[in-house]
Amino acid sequence: MGLTRVRAVFFDLDNTLIDTAGASRRGMSEVIKLLQSKYHYKEEAEIICDKVQIKLSKECFHPYSMCITDLRTSQWEEAIQETKGGTHNRRLAEECYFLWKSTRLQHMTLAEDVKAMLTELRKEVRLLLLTNGDRQTQREKIEACACQSYFDAIVVGGEQKEEKPAPSIFYHCCDLLGVQPGDCVMVGDTLETDIQGGLNAGLKATVWINKSGIMPLTSPIPHYIVSSVLELPALLQNIDCKVNLSV
């Protein structure tokens, strides 16, 4: 394969372009306030939210068996039951879930500097948003952060046969943009999906966003590591310079 300049960049969404973790924390703190003020829960409010957070992190979602609203309401229902005992309280679970979800979506915004970066990059390369997850959940986030206009294409894992790190979803992205894997760079915060997937598909480069600064002890090993997505333009210039030098 000849040496080529970067022609396309694939971006992950959650905790790469938007602060999903921070938005979720804001949602949880609103639920804690609700449980304490309206229902007079004390420390149980925080225990319930901690339990839901753990359930979310272990979530295995199968779109054919249940809708995401039912699944996540059930997580709240179980957490309340496990903490408070007594009978199941579906109404309260729904109230908590919808408050968490609506607060979370309100705080899912593209920062102005990220918008500016995407706008500038798109003058040089094609941009694609590649996000894993349930179709409804991810489409709601995309709508909330109003990011559609910054991308040439958007691909949601839950709408495809396979999600990241399967090579097939990366090849589908390449087809949408009319590029080869060797023309593309994947940018994301998750080693197991974003970086492993980019490596599996034979992309030109993978860029891991490591906000914590703690280095992983195991593979996959990304080609590049940055602490913020805003470091990407300089890095892409560097990658293209290497191509020029090699030629």
Side-chain angles (χ1 to χ4, degrees), residues 34-95:
L34 169 85
L35 290 173
Q36 290 176 340
S37 62
K38 185 174 171 184
Y39 296 100
H40 309 296
Y41 284 26
K42 295 186 175 66
E43 61 279 359
E44 307 103 323
E46 287 181 32
I47 295 167
I48 289 165
C49 288
D50 288 344
K51 284 180 183 287
V52 171
Q53 196 58 58
I54 292 164
K55 291 175 195 291
L56 279 168
S57 69
K58 295 179 179 169
E59 184 175 271
C60 288
F61 178 64
H62 303 290
Y64 307 109
S65 56
M66 183 185 266
C67 88
I68 195 77
T69 303
D70 289 342
L71 175 71
R72 291 193 168 165
T73 304
S74 295
Q75 290 169 348
W76 283 95
E77 191 175 11
E78 287 162 16
I80 294 164
Q81 165 79 15
E82 288 161 14
T83 307
K84 294 287 283 180
T87 54
H88 281 272
N89 192 339
R90 189 79 179 175
R91 277 238 319 267
L92 178 57
E94 283 175 355
E95 191 177 357

Short mmCIF file of all heavy atoms in Angstrom, two decimals, residues 34-95:
data_model
loop_
_atom_site.label_atom_id
_atom_site.label_comp_id
_atom_site.label_asym_id
_atom_site.label_seq_id
_atom_site.Cartn_x
_atom_site.Cartn_y
_atom_site.Cartn_z
N LEU A 34 -33.97 15.08 44.42
CA LEU A 34 -35.40 14.71 44.36
C LEU A 34 -35.75 13.73 45.49
O LEU A 34 -36.72 13.93 46.23
CB LEU A 34 -35.72 14.07 43.01
CG LEU A 34 -37.10 13.41 42.91
CD1 LEU A 34 -38.17 14.43 42.56
CD2 LEU A 34 -37.12 12.28 41.89
N LEU A 35 -34.95 12.68 45.62
CA LEU A 35 -35.25 11.64 46.62
C LEU A 35 -35.17 12.22 48.04
O LEU A 35 -35.93 11.83 48.92
CB LEU A 35 -34.28 10.47 46.47
CG LEU A 35 -34.47 9.61 45.21
CD1 LEU A 35 -33.34 8.59 45.07
CD2 LEU A 35 -35.83 8.89 45.23
N GLN A 36 -34.24 13.15 48.26
CA GLN A 36 -34.09 13.72 49.60
C GLN A 36 -35.17 14.74 49.91
O GLN A 36 -35.71 14.76 51.02
CB GLN A 36 -32.70 14.33 49.74
CG GLN A 36 -31.60 13.25 49.78
CD GLN A 36 -30.20 13.82 49.82
OE1 GLN A 36 -29.96 14.97 49.46
NE2 GLN A 36 -29.24 13.00 50.25
N SER A 37 -35.53 15.58 48.93
CA SER A 37 -36.48 16.66 49.24
C SER A 37 -37.93 16.19 49.16
O SER A 37 -38.72 16.46 50.04
CB SER A 37 -36.26 17.84 48.30
OG SER A 37 -36.48 17.43 46.96
N LYS A 38 -38.26 15.43 48.12
CA LYS A 38 -39.66 15.05 47.90
C LYS A 38 -40.03 13.78 48.68
O LYS A 38 -41.15 13.65 49.16
CB LYS A 38 -39.90 14.85 46.40
CG LYS A 38 -41.36 14.58 46.03
CD LYS A 38 -41.53 14.55 44.52
CE LYS A 38 -42.93 14.07 44.13
NZ LYS A 38 -43.07 13.95 42.66
N TYR A 39 -39.07 12.85 48.77
CA TYR A 39 -39.39 11.55 49.39
C TYR A 39 -38.68 11.34 50.73
O TYR A 39 -38.79 10.28 51.33
CB TYR A 39 -39.06 10.41 48.41
CG TYR A 39 -39.93 10.48 47.17
CD1 TYR A 39 -39.44 11.04 46.00
CD2 TYR A 39 -41.25 10.04 47.19
CE1 TYR A 39 -40.24 11.13 44.85
CE2 TYR A 39 -42.06 10.12 46.07
CZ TYR A 39 -41.54 10.67 44.90
OH TYR A 39 -42.34 10.76 43.79
N HIS A 40 -37.93 12.34 51.17
CA HIS A 40 -37.27 12.33 52.49
C HIS A 40 -36.32 11.14 52.69
O HIS A 40 -36.15 10.65 53.79
CB HIS A 40 -38.33 12.38 53.62
CG HIS A 40 -39.30 13.49 53.40
ND1 HIS A 40 -38.93 14.82 53.40
CD2 HIS A 40 -40.64 13.47 53.13
CE1 HIS A 40 -39.99 15.58 53.14
NE2 HIS A 40 -41.04 14.79 52.96
N TYR A 41 -35.71 10.69 51.60
CA TYR A 41 -34.64 9.70 51.72
C TYR A 41 -33.44 10.43 52.32
O TYR A 41 -33.27 11.63 52.11
CB TYR A 41 -34.25 9.14 50.35
CG TYR A 41 -35.22 8.13 49.78
CD1 TYR A 41 -36.57 8.13 50.15
CD2 TYR A 41 -34.78 7.18 48.87
CE1 TYR A 41 -37.45 7.21 49.60
CE2 TYR A 41 -35.65 6.26 48.32
CZ TYR A 41 -36.99 6.28 48.68
OH TYR A 41 -37.85 5.37 48.13
N LYS A 42 -32.61 9.70 53.04
CA LYS A 42 -31.37 10.29 53.55
C LYS A 42 -30.21 9.72 52.73
O LYS A 42 -30.15 9.94 51.53
CB LYS A 42 -31.27 10.01 55.04
CG LYS A 42 -32.38 10.71 55.84
CD LYS A 42 -32.21 10.57 57.33
CE LYS A 42 -33.27 11.38 58.09
NZ LYS A 42 -34.65 10.85 57.87
N GLU A 43 -29.31 8.97 53.41
CA GLU A 43 -28.15 8.45 52.67
C GLU A 43 -28.55 7.40 51.63
O GLU A 43 -27.79 7.11 50.71
CB GLU A 43 -27.07 7.90 53.61
CG GLU A 43 -27.52 6.73 54.48
CD GLU A 43 -28.31 7.19 55.71
OE1 GLU A 43 -28.49 8.42 55.90
OE2 GLU A 43 -28.74 6.31 56.47
N GLU A 44 -29.80 6.86 51.74
CA GLU A 44 -30.24 5.85 50.76
C GLU A 44 -30.25 6.43 49.34
O GLU A 44 -30.09 5.70 48.37
CB GLU A 44 -31.66 5.33 51.04
CG GLU A 44 -31.89 4.80 52.44
CD GLU A 44 -32.65 5.82 53.29
OE1 GLU A 44 -32.40 7.03 53.13
OE2 GLU A 44 -33.50 5.38 54.07
N ALA A 45 -30.48 7.73 49.23
CA ALA A 45 -30.54 8.35 47.89
C ALA A 45 -29.24 8.13 47.13
O ALA A 45 -29.24 7.75 45.96
CB ALA A 45 -30.84 9.84 48.02
N GLU A 46 -28.12 8.35 47.84
CA GLU A 46 -26.82 8.17 47.18
C GLU A 46 -26.53 6.71 46.92
O GLU A 46 -25.95 6.35 45.88
CB GLU A 46 -25.71 8.80 48.03
CG GLU A 46 -25.76 10.31 47.96
CD GLU A 46 -24.67 10.98 48.76
OE1 GLU A 46 -23.56 10.41 48.86
OE2 GLU A 46 -24.92 12.09 49.27
N ILE A 47 -26.95 5.84 47.83
CA ILE A 47 -26.74 4.39 47.66
C ILE A 47 -27.48 3.91 46.41
O ILE A 47 -26.93 3.15 45.59
CB ILE A 47 -27.19 3.61 48.92
CG1 ILE A 47 -26.32 3.99 50.12
CG2 ILE A 47 -27.16 2.11 48.67
CD1 ILE A 47 -26.86 3.53 51.46
N ILE A 48 -28.70 4.37 46.24
CA ILE A 48 -29.51 3.99 45.07
C ILE A 48 -28.80 4.41 43.79
O ILE A 48 -28.66 3.62 42.85
CB ILE A 48 -30.93 4.59 45.15
CG1 ILE A 48 -31.73 3.89 46.25
CG2 ILE A 48 -31.66 4.51 43.81
CD1 ILE A 48 -33.01 4.62 46.68
N CYS A 49 -28.33 5.65 43.75
CA CYS A 49 -27.66 6.16 42.55
C CYS A 49 -26.36 5.40 42.26
O CYS A 49 -26.04 5.12 41.11
CB CYS A 49 -27.41 7.65 42.66
SG CYS A 49 -28.94 8.60 42.50
N ASP A 50 -25.63 5.06 43.32
CA ASP A 50 -24.40 4.27 43.14
C ASP A 50 -24.72 2.90 42.54
O ASP A 50 -24.01 2.41 41.67
CB ASP A 50 -23.66 4.08 44.47
CG ASP A 50 -23.01 5.38 44.94
OD1 ASP A 50 -22.86 6.31 44.13
OD2 ASP A 50 -22.66 5.46 46.14
N LYS A 51 -25.80 2.30 43.03
CA LYS A 51 -26.21 0.98 42.51
C LYS A 51 -26.58 1.07 41.03
O LYS A 51 -26.23 0.19 40.24
CB LYS A 51 -27.39 0.42 43.31
CG LYS A 51 -27.03 -0.14 44.68
CD LYS A 51 -28.28 -0.66 45.38
CE LYS A 51 -28.00 -1.17 46.79
NZ LYS A 51 -27.29 -2.45 46.81
N VAL A 52 -27.32 2.12 40.68
CA VAL A 52 -27.72 2.28 39.27
C VAL A 52 -26.48 2.47 38.40
O VAL A 52 -26.39 1.91 37.31
CB VAL A 52 -28.70 3.48 39.10
CG1 VAL A 52 -28.93 3.79 37.62
CG2 VAL A 52 -30.03 3.16 39.78
N GLN A 53 -25.52 3.25 38.89
CA GLN A 53 -24.28 3.49 38.13
C GLN A 53 -23.58 2.17 37.83
O GLN A 53 -23.11 1.94 36.71
CB GLN A 53 -23.36 4.41 38.95
CG GLN A 53 -22.25 5.05 38.14
CD GLN A 53 -22.76 5.88 36.97
OE1 GLN A 53 -23.52 6.81 37.14
NE2 GLN A 53 -22.36 5.52 35.77
N ILE A 54 -23.54 1.28 38.81
CA ILE A 54 -22.90 -0.04 38.63
C ILE A 54 -23.69 -0.85 37.60
O ILE A 54 -23.12 -1.48 36.71
CB ILE A 54 -22.78 -0.78 39.97
CG1 ILE A 54 -21.77 -0.05 40.87
CG2 ILE A 54 -22.38 -2.24 39.77
CD1 ILE A 54 -21.82 -0.45 42.33
N LYS A 55 -25.02 -0.83 37.72
CA LYS A 55 -25.86 -1.57 36.76
C LYS A 55 -25.66 -1.04 35.34
O LYS A 55 -25.60 -1.82 34.39
CB LYS A 55 -27.35 -1.47 37.16
CG LYS A 55 -27.70 -2.24 38.44
CD LYS A 55 -29.15 -2.01 38.84
CE LYS A 55 -29.44 -2.45 40.27
NZ LYS A 55 -29.38 -3.91 40.46
N LEU A 56 -25.56 0.27 35.20
CA LEU A 56 -25.32 0.88 33.87
C LEU A 56 -23.99 0.40 33.29
O LEU A 56 -23.89 0.11 32.09
CB LEU A 56 -25.29 2.40 33.98
CG LEU A 56 -26.63 3.12 34.03
CD1 LEU A 56 -26.42 4.58 34.44
CD2 LEU A 56 -27.36 3.06 32.69
N SER A 57 -22.96 0.32 34.15
CA SER A 57 -21.63 -0.07 33.66
C SER A 57 -21.59 -1.53 33.21
O SER A 57 -20.75 -1.90 32.40
CB SER A 57 -20.57 0.19 34.73
OG SER A 57 -20.75 -0.71 35.80
N LYS A 58 -22.51 -2.34 33.75
CA LYS A 58 -22.52 -3.77 33.38
C LYS A 58 -23.61 -4.09 32.36
O LYS A 58 -23.87 -5.25 32.07
CB LYS A 58 -22.77 -4.61 34.64
CG LYS A 58 -21.65 -4.52 35.66
CD LYS A 58 -21.99 -5.36 36.88
CE LYS A 58 -20.87 -5.30 37.90
NZ LYS A 58 -21.28 -5.89 39.18
N GLU A 59 -24.27 -3.03 31.87
CA GLU A 59 -25.46 -3.22 31.04
C GLU A 59 -25.17 -4.02 29.77
O GLU A 59 -24.24 -3.73 29.04
CB GLU A 59 -25.98 -1.83 30.66
CG GLU A 59 -27.25 -1.80 29.89
CD GLU A 59 -27.71 -0.36 29.70
OE1 GLU A 59 -28.44 0.15 30.58
OE2 GLU A 59 -27.33 0.28 28.70
N CYS A 60 -25.98 -5.04 29.55
CA CYS A 60 -25.94 -5.78 28.28
C CYS A 60 -27.28 -5.59 27.62
O CYS A 60 -28.28 -6.13 28.08
CB CYS A 60 -25.69 -7.27 28.53
SG CYS A 60 -24.02 -7.60 29.04
N PHE A 61 -27.28 -4.79 26.56
CA PHE A 61 -28.56 -4.44 25.95
C PHE A 61 -28.78 -5.22 24.66
O PHE A 61 -27.93 -5.23 23.79
CB PHE A 61 -28.62 -2.94 25.66
CG PHE A 61 -29.90 -2.53 25.00
CD1 PHE A 61 -31.11 -2.68 25.68
CD2 PHE A 61 -29.92 -2.04 23.71
CE1 PHE A 61 -32.30 -2.31 25.07
CE2 PHE A 61 -31.09 -1.67 23.10
CZ PHE A 61 -32.29 -1.81 23.79
N HIS A 62 -29.90 -5.90 24.59
CA HIS A 62 -30.28 -6.62 23.37
C HIS A 62 -31.57 -6.01 22.84
O HIS A 62 -32.63 -6.21 23.41
CB HIS A 62 -30.47 -8.11 23.66
CG HIS A 62 -29.24 -8.73 24.26
ND1 HIS A 62 -28.10 -8.93 23.53
CD2 HIS A 62 -28.96 -9.16 25.51
CE1 HIS A 62 -27.16 -9.46 24.31
NE2 HIS A 62 -27.66 -9.60 25.52
N PRO A 63 -31.48 -5.24 21.75
CA PRO A 63 -32.63 -4.45 21.29
C PRO A 63 -33.86 -5.29 20.96
O PRO A 63 -34.96 -4.78 20.93
CB PRO A 63 -32.11 -3.74 20.04
CG PRO A 63 -30.82 -4.39 19.69
CD PRO A 63 -30.29 -5.02 20.93
N TYR A 64 -33.64 -6.60 20.72
CA TYR A 64 -34.79 -7.41 20.33
C TYR A 64 -35.59 -7.90 21.52
O TYR A 64 -36.72 -8.31 21.39
CB TYR A 64 -34.31 -8.59 19.47
CG TYR A 64 -33.48 -8.12 18.32
CD1 TYR A 64 -32.10 -8.35 18.27
CD2 TYR A 64 -34.04 -7.34 17.29
CE1 TYR A 64 -31.33 -7.85 17.22
CE2 TYR A 64 -33.27 -6.83 16.25
CZ TYR A 64 -31.92 -7.10 16.22
OH TYR A 64 -31.15 -6.58 15.21
N SER A 65 -34.98 -7.86 22.71
CA SER A 65 -35.67 -8.43 23.87
C SER A 65 -36.39 -7.38 24.71
O SER A 65 -37.37 -7.67 25.37
CB SER A 65 -34.67 -9.19 24.75
OG SER A 65 -33.61 -8.34 25.12
N MET A 66 -35.93 -6.13 24.66
CA MET A 66 -36.51 -5.11 25.54
C MET A 66 -36.13 -3.72 25.04
O MET A 66 -35.07 -3.55 24.45
CB MET A 66 -35.93 -5.31 26.95
CG MET A 66 -36.48 -4.38 28.00
SD MET A 66 -35.64 -4.61 29.58
CE MET A 66 -36.71 -5.76 30.41
N CYS A 67 -36.99 -2.73 25.27
CA CYS A 67 -36.60 -1.38 24.87
C CYS A 67 -35.76 -0.77 26.00
O CYS A 67 -35.89 -1.15 27.16
CB CYS A 67 -37.81 -0.53 24.51
SG CYS A 67 -38.54 0.33 25.88
N ILE A 68 -34.90 0.17 25.63
CA ILE A 68 -33.94 0.73 26.58
C ILE A 68 -34.64 1.42 27.75
O ILE A 68 -34.16 1.39 28.89
CB ILE A 68 -32.95 1.68 25.85
CG1 ILE A 68 -31.73 1.99 26.73
CG2 ILE A 68 -33.63 2.96 25.39
CD1 ILE A 68 -30.70 0.90 26.80
N THR A 69 -35.80 2.02 27.50
CA THR A 69 -36.55 2.70 28.58
C THR A 69 -36.97 1.70 29.64
O THR A 69 -36.81 1.94 30.85
CB THR A 69 -37.79 3.42 28.00
OG1 THR A 69 -37.34 4.33 27.00
CG2 THR A 69 -38.56 4.18 29.07
N ASP A 70 -37.49 0.54 29.21
CA ASP A 70 -37.90 -0.51 30.16
C ASP A 70 -36.71 -1.04 30.93
O ASP A 70 -36.76 -1.23 32.15
CB ASP A 70 -38.59 -1.67 29.43
CG ASP A 70 -39.96 -1.28 28.90
OD1 ASP A 70 -40.51 -0.27 29.38
OD2 ASP A 70 -40.47 -1.97 28.00
N LEU A 71 -35.62 -1.29 30.21
CA LEU A 71 -34.42 -1.84 30.84
C LEU A 71 -33.90 -0.89 31.91
O LEU A 71 -33.62 -1.29 33.05
CB LEU A 71 -33.34 -2.07 29.78
CG LEU A 71 -31.98 -2.53 30.33
CD1 LEU A 71 -32.04 -3.95 30.84
CD2 LEU A 71 -30.89 -2.42 29.26
N ARG A 72 -33.79 0.39 31.57
CA ARG A 72 -33.19 1.35 32.51
C ARG A 72 -34.14 1.70 33.66
O ARG A 72 -33.69 1.93 34.78
CB ARG A 72 -32.68 2.58 31.76
CG ARG A 72 -31.48 2.20 30.90
CD ARG A 72 -30.70 3.36 30.37
NE ARG A 72 -29.43 2.89 29.82
CZ ARG A 72 -28.65 3.61 29.03
NH1 ARG A 72 -29.00 4.83 28.69
NH2 ARG A 72 -27.52 3.11 28.58
N THR A 73 -35.44 1.71 33.39
CA THR A 73 -36.39 1.91 34.49
C THR A 73 -36.27 0.74 35.47
O THR A 73 -36.30 0.93 36.69
CB THR A 73 -37.83 2.03 33.95
OG1 THR A 73 -37.88 3.09 32.99
CG2 THR A 73 -38.82 2.34 35.07
N SER A 74 -36.11 -0.46 34.93
CA SER A 74 -35.95 -1.65 35.79
C SER A 74 -34.69 -1.57 36.65
O SER A 74 -34.68 -2.03 37.79
CB SER A 74 -35.92 -2.93 34.95
OG SER A 74 -37.16 -3.11 34.32
N GLN A 75 -33.63 -0.98 36.10
CA GLN A 75 -32.40 -0.82 36.89
C GLN A 75 -32.67 0.07 38.10
O GLN A 75 -32.21 -0.23 39.21
CB GLN A 75 -31.30 -0.20 36.01
CG GLN A 75 -30.78 -1.13 34.93
CD GLN A 75 -29.89 -0.41 33.92
OE1 GLN A 75 -29.82 0.81 33.88
NE2 GLN A 75 -29.22 -1.18 33.09
N TRP A 76 -33.40 1.16 37.89
CA TRP A 76 -33.76 2.04 39.02
C TRP A 76 -34.67 1.32 40.00
O TRP A 76 -34.48 1.42 41.21
CB TRP A 76 -34.43 3.32 38.50
CG TRP A 76 -33.46 4.30 37.93
CD1 TRP A 76 -33.11 4.46 36.62
CD2 TRP A 76 -32.67 5.25 38.65
NE1 TRP A 76 -32.16 5.45 36.48
CE2 TRP A 76 -31.87 5.96 37.71
CE3 TRP A 76 -32.56 5.58 40.01
CZ2 TRP A 76 -30.98 6.97 38.09
CZ3 TRP A 76 -31.67 6.60 40.38
CH2 TRP A 76 -30.89 7.27 39.43
N GLU A 77 -35.62 0.57 39.45
CA GLU A 77 -36.57 -0.15 40.30
C GLU A 77 -35.83 -1.15 41.20
O GLU A 77 -36.08 -1.23 42.41
CB GLU A 77 -37.57 -0.88 39.40
CG GLU A 77 -38.76 -1.46 40.15
CD GLU A 77 -39.79 -2.07 39.21
OE1 GLU A 77 -39.51 -2.25 38.01
OE2 GLU A 77 -40.89 -2.37 39.68
N GLU A 78 -34.90 -1.90 40.60
CA GLU A 78 -34.11 -2.88 41.38
C GLU A 78 -33.27 -2.18 42.44
O GLU A 78 -33.17 -2.65 43.58
CB GLU A 78 -33.18 -3.66 40.44
CG GLU A 78 -33.87 -4.68 39.56
CD GLU A 78 -32.99 -5.10 38.38
OE1 GLU A 78 -31.75 -4.83 38.43
OE2 GLU A 78 -33.53 -5.68 37.42
N ALA A 79 -32.64 -1.06 42.06
CA ALA A 79 -31.76 -0.34 43.01
C ALA A 79 -32.56 0.17 44.21
O ALA A 79 -32.09 0.10 45.36
CB ALA A 79 -31.05 0.80 42.30
N ILE A 80 -33.76 0.69 43.95
CA ILE A 80 -34.62 1.19 45.04
C ILE A 80 -35.03 0.03 45.93
O ILE A 80 -34.96 0.11 47.17
CB ILE A 80 -35.86 1.92 44.46
CG1 ILE A 80 -35.41 3.20 43.72
CG2 ILE A 80 -36.86 2.27 45.56
CD1 ILE A 80 -36.47 3.79 42.79
N GLN A 81 -35.44 -1.07 45.31
CA GLN A 81 -35.87 -2.27 46.04
C GLN A 81 -34.74 -2.84 46.91
O GLN A 81 -34.92 -3.16 48.07
CB GLN A 81 -36.34 -3.32 45.01
CG GLN A 81 -36.49 -4.74 45.52
CD GLN A 81 -37.78 -4.93 46.28
OE1 GLN A 81 -38.68 -4.10 46.19
NE2 GLN A 81 -37.88 -6.00 47.03
N GLU A 82 -33.54 -2.93 46.30
CA GLU A 82 -32.38 -3.48 47.03
C GLU A 82 -32.01 -2.60 48.23
O GLU A 82 -31.52 -3.10 49.25
CB GLU A 82 -31.17 -3.59 46.09
CG GLU A 82 -31.29 -4.70 45.05
CD GLU A 82 -30.32 -4.50 43.86
OE1 GLU A 82 -29.39 -3.66 43.98
OE2 GLU A 82 -30.51 -5.17 42.83
N THR A 83 -32.23 -1.30 48.11
CA THR A 83 -31.82 -0.36 49.15
C THR A 83 -32.90 -0.20 50.22
O THR A 83 -32.61 -0.17 51.42
CB THR A 83 -31.50 1.02 48.54
OG1 THR A 83 -30.56 0.83 47.47
CG2 THR A 83 -30.91 1.97 49.56
N LYS A 84 -34.14 -0.07 49.78
CA LYS A 84 -35.24 0.26 50.69
C LYS A 84 -36.07 -0.94 51.13
O LYS A 84 -36.80 -0.87 52.12
CB LYS A 84 -36.20 1.27 50.02
CG LYS A 84 -35.58 2.62 49.76
CD LYS A 84 -35.40 3.46 51.02
CE LYS A 84 -36.71 4.06 51.49
NZ LYS A 84 -36.51 4.87 52.72
N GLY A 85 -36.00 -2.04 50.37
CA GLY A 85 -36.87 -3.19 50.68
C GLY A 85 -38.31 -2.86 50.33
O GLY A 85 -38.58 -1.90 49.60
N GLY A 86 -39.24 -3.65 50.86
CA GLY A 86 -40.66 -3.40 50.59
C GLY A 86 -41.05 -3.79 49.18
O GLY A 86 -40.32 -4.50 48.50
N THR A 87 -42.20 -3.31 48.74
CA THR A 87 -42.69 -3.70 47.40
C THR A 87 -41.98 -2.88 46.33
O THR A 87 -41.46 -1.80 46.59
CB THR A 87 -44.21 -3.45 47.29
OG1 THR A 87 -44.45 -2.08 47.65
CG2 THR A 87 -45.00 -4.36 48.21
N HIS A 88 -42.01 -3.41 45.11
CA HIS A 88 -41.40 -2.69 43.98
C HIS A 88 -42.16 -1.39 43.72
O HIS A 88 -43.38 -1.35 43.86
CB HIS A 88 -41.44 -3.57 42.72
CG HIS A 88 -40.35 -4.59 42.72
ND1 HIS A 88 -39.11 -4.33 42.21
CD2 HIS A 88 -40.32 -5.87 43.19
CE1 HIS A 88 -38.35 -5.42 42.36
NE2 HIS A 88 -39.06 -6.36 42.95
N ASN A 89 -41.43 -0.36 43.36
CA ASN A 89 -42.05 0.95 43.15
C ASN A 89 -41.70 1.45 41.75
O ASN A 89 -40.76 2.20 41.54
CB ASN A 89 -41.54 1.94 44.22
CG ASN A 89 -42.35 3.21 44.24
OD1 ASN A 89 -43.01 3.56 43.26
ND2 ASN A 89 -42.29 3.93 45.35
N ARG A 90 -42.50 0.97 40.78
CA ARG A 90 -42.22 1.30 39.37
C ARG A 90 -42.40 2.80 39.11
O ARG A 90 -41.63 3.39 38.33
CB ARG A 90 -43.15 0.47 38.46
CG ARG A 90 -42.82 0.56 36.97
CD ARG A 90 -41.67 -0.34 36.62
NE ARG A 90 -41.33 -0.30 35.20
CZ ARG A 90 -40.30 -0.94 34.69
NH1 ARG A 90 -39.51 -1.66 35.45
NH2 ARG A 90 -40.05 -0.88 33.39
N ARG A 91 -43.39 3.41 39.74
CA ARG A 91 -43.64 4.84 39.49
C ARG A 91 -42.45 5.69 39.90
O ARG A 91 -42.04 6.59 39.19
CB ARG A 91 -44.91 5.30 40.26
CG ARG A 91 -46.19 4.98 39.55
CD ARG A 91 -47.09 6.19 39.25
NE ARG A 91 -47.23 7.22 40.26
CZ ARG A 91 -48.18 7.24 41.17
NH1 ARG A 91 -49.09 6.28 41.25
NH2 ARG A 91 -48.26 8.25 42.01
N LEU A 92 -41.92 5.40 41.09
CA LEU A 92 -40.76 6.16 41.56
C LEU A 92 -39.55 5.89 40.65
O LEU A 92 -38.79 6.81 40.33
CB LEU A 92 -40.42 5.78 43.01
CG LEU A 92 -39.19 6.47 43.62
CD1 LEU A 92 -39.33 8.00 43.57
CD2 LEU A 92 -38.96 6.01 45.05
N ALA A 93 -39.40 4.64 40.23
CA ALA A 93 -38.29 4.28 39.34
C ALA A 93 -38.37 5.08 38.04
O ALA A 93 -37.36 5.60 37.55
CB ALA A 93 -38.32 2.78 39.04
N GLU A 94 -39.58 5.21 37.51
CA GLU A 94 -39.77 5.98 36.27
C GLU A 94 -39.43 7.46 36.49
O GLU A 94 -38.77 8.09 35.66
CB GLU A 94 -41.22 5.85 35.77
CG GLU A 94 -41.47 4.51 35.10
CD GLU A 94 -42.93 4.30 34.70
OE1 GLU A 94 -43.78 5.15 35.04
OE2 GLU A 94 -43.20 3.27 34.07
N GLU A 95 -39.88 7.99 37.62
CA GLU A 95 -39.61 9.40 37.93
C GLU A 95 -38.10 9.65 38.00
O GLU A 95 -37.59 10.63 37.45
CB GLU A 95 -40.28 9.78 39.26
CG GLU A 95 -40.29 11.26 39.52
CD GLU A 95 -41.03 11.65 40.80
OE1 GLU A 95 -41.60 10.76 41.48
OE2 GLU A 95 -41.02 12.85 41.12
#
